[in-house]
Amino acid sequence: MSASAFQSLIRYMELVAIYSLFMKSSSNEQPGTDFTILTCAELIVYLVGASIAGFLADRLGYAILFGIATFVSFAGIGLAYRQLAKLDQRELPVRQGEKA
């Protein structure tokens, strides 16, 4: 029960962060549509990922699945960090222009 509760807590923390990014990424002209499309894409990726994880666990076993998951998680952290750094660099001139 505690592992399930902890997993739910982590999932909700992830949702807060990703939805904040979705809101920031949505255009000013149609923010509701952009947010909805991003949310649907996130749910599709989550469902496909869960299905693939179930298939891999059945075929390869949990030890290999957790090894793959660890690798994918670290790769995702690196990719997210790089993308957020690029986003921050793009917005830096705008922020400096607002202060001047």
Side-chain angles (χ1 to χ4, degrees), residues 52-84:
I52 291 171
F55 176 79
L56 290 175
D58 186 47
R59 297 281 188 218
L60 305 174
Y62 284 102
I64 293 175
L65 172 67
F66 291 145
I68 293 169
T70 301
F71 174 77
V72 169
S73 294
F74 281 120
I77 290 169
L79 179 63
Y81 182 79
R82 195 175 85 201
Q83 290 297 105
L84 289 172

Side-chain angles (χ1 to χ4, degrees), residues 15-89:
L15 288 174
V16 169
I18 199 165
Y19 288 172
S20 295
L21 183 63
F22 287 172
M23 287 186 283
K24 187 176 183 177
S25 302
S26 297
S27 70
N28 291 333
E29 292 80 31
Q30 54 183 19
T33 302
D34 290 351
F35 184 82
T36 301
I37 290 170
L38 290 169
T39 303
C40 289
E42 184 261 337
L43 288 173
I44 289 169
V45 168
Y46 183 72
L47 290 172
V48 169
S51 298
I52 291 171
F55 176 79
L56 290 175
D58 186 47
R59 297 281 188 218
L60 305 174
Y62 284 102
I64 293 175
L65 172 67
F66 291 145
I68 293 169
T70 301
F71 174 77
V72 169
S73 294
F74 281 120
I77 290 169
L79 179 63
Y81 182 79
R82 195 175 85 201
Q83 290 297 105
L84 289 172
K86 283 183 182 179
L87 181 63
D88 193 41
Q89 287 298 321

